Each structure stands twice: as structure tokens, then as C-alpha cells.
Amino acid sequence: AINVGGGNSAGAWINNGAFTANTTTVTFTGTAAAPSIGGTINTAFNNLTINKASNNLNIDITPTVNGVLTMTNGKLIAGANRLILGVAATVSTQGAPSYVVGTVQKNYSAAGTLTFPVGDANNYTPVTIQGTAGFTAGSLTITTTGNDHPQVTTPISSTGINASKSVTRFWTLASAAVPAASANNETF
């Protein structure tokens, strides 16, 4: 196990070379004001745990988690980057205290169910995807935006959307090789 921010570092993970994850769990803890996952190499973690007593964790690159992503406390701030969950990756204990602010990508080899731990700066707004028959290998990327969808603020008459009754939020789902929505069920 590697503990980042628990008194042995300033809370930053910088990978400028080779890191072999094997079965290692990397845990971010502590109270560092500007901790980050960065460097010149996109790190592939086996297990990654976020359990920060205070402050969030910035993603300055595009890391991958291939085992278990445990989100106990502290948000992952993705900015223009994304967090990738490998084919075998799972997510544990996500919720309002800990989720990804930004984009999460999940790679699939077959049908599966995952609750994407996404939200914006103020709200945890997860999406559960349940792959069904016909769901094949590929990837699915999800992000959320805490504003009305553009068609709500400038309604197209055929949508029937009442701007005064909207949820003031929308999610963007993008797939690569994963079939269209007919092969999965989404829960927002």
C-alpha cells in the first residue's frame, strides 16, 4: 500500500516514469491544500482510494483505475481530463462526500452494471448504467452539467419542455463501440 498525503508527502502523485501497479492500493489522505495526480505519464492504478480529511484531489492527467476505486471523502476534480475505469474496475462507497467532478470513462468487454460517480462542484449526481443483451465491448463516457440543457433555455416547440419545471441539470453520455441506448438501461 502507498499512502499519499498521510505525513510522508505533500499529497501529490507525480509519475514521470514507470509505475507498476501490480496489486498495490494507492490511498490519498491528509489535508494538503492542492494535492494532485500528475506527471508526464498517465498512471494506471490497481486500486485507488480517496479518503481526504479536507480539500479535494485534482487530476492533472488522465489516470486509469483497473481494480477498485474507493471514494470515501474528498472529490476528484478532473478539469479538462477524465478518470478512466478499466474493464475490471469497480467503484466502492461513492456518495455526496466523494465523487468525480468532471468526466468518468468506463471501458467494457461485455454487459455490466456500474454507477458512474459523477457530479458538479456542488452536487453528487450519479448515473447507473446496466448493460443488457447486445451490449458489447467499448467505452462509455459520462459527465454532468449543472445548468439547463440549451433546448430548455431556448425551447424547440416540439420538445414540450417547460423551463419552469426542469431539473436544471443534464448529463452527456458518449460511447465508443458500445451500442446505442437500446442495449442498456440508464438511471439518473
Side-chain angles (χ1 to χ4, degrees), residues 25-28 37 47-52 56-57 59 65 68-78 83 85 90-104 114-119 124 126:
T25 296
V26 175
T27 302
F28 284 86
I37 298 174
N47 299 322
L48 179 62
T49 298
I50 310 304
N51 191 10
K52 305 220 5 86
N56 297 317
L57 178 64
I59 301 173
V65 177
V68 179
L69 171 62
T70 302
M71 304 189 75
T72 305
N73 200 36
K75 298 172 190 157
L76 286 173
I77 311 298
L83 175 68
L85 300 172
T90 60
V91 180
S92 173
T93 64
Q94 62 182 313
S98 192
Y99 56 89
V100 178
V101 177
T103 303
V104 176
L114 179 78
T115 298
F116 284 70
V118 295
Y124 169 58

Side-chain angles (χ1 to χ4, degrees), residues 90 152 168 170:
T90 60
V152 172
T168 315
F170 66 96

Side-chain angles (χ1 to χ4, degrees), residues 123-162:
N123 299 290
Y124 169 58
T125 56
V127 177
T128 300
I129 300 293
Q130 178 186 27
T132 58
F135 196 93
T136 59
S139 66
L140 188 60
T141 302
I142 298 179
T143 190
T144 185
T145 304
N147 297 315
D148 277 326
H149 189 277
Q151 288 183 337
V152 172
T153 56
T154 309
I156 296 173
S157 60
S158 64
T159 67
I161 296 172
N162 182 337

Side-chain angles (χ1 to χ4, degrees), residues 3-5 9-15 28-29 32 34-38 57-58 60:
N3 188 7
V4 180
S9 71
W13 175 275
I14 305 296
N15 183 3
F28 284 86
T29 61
S36 64
I37 298 174
L57 178 64
N58 295 313
D60 297 333

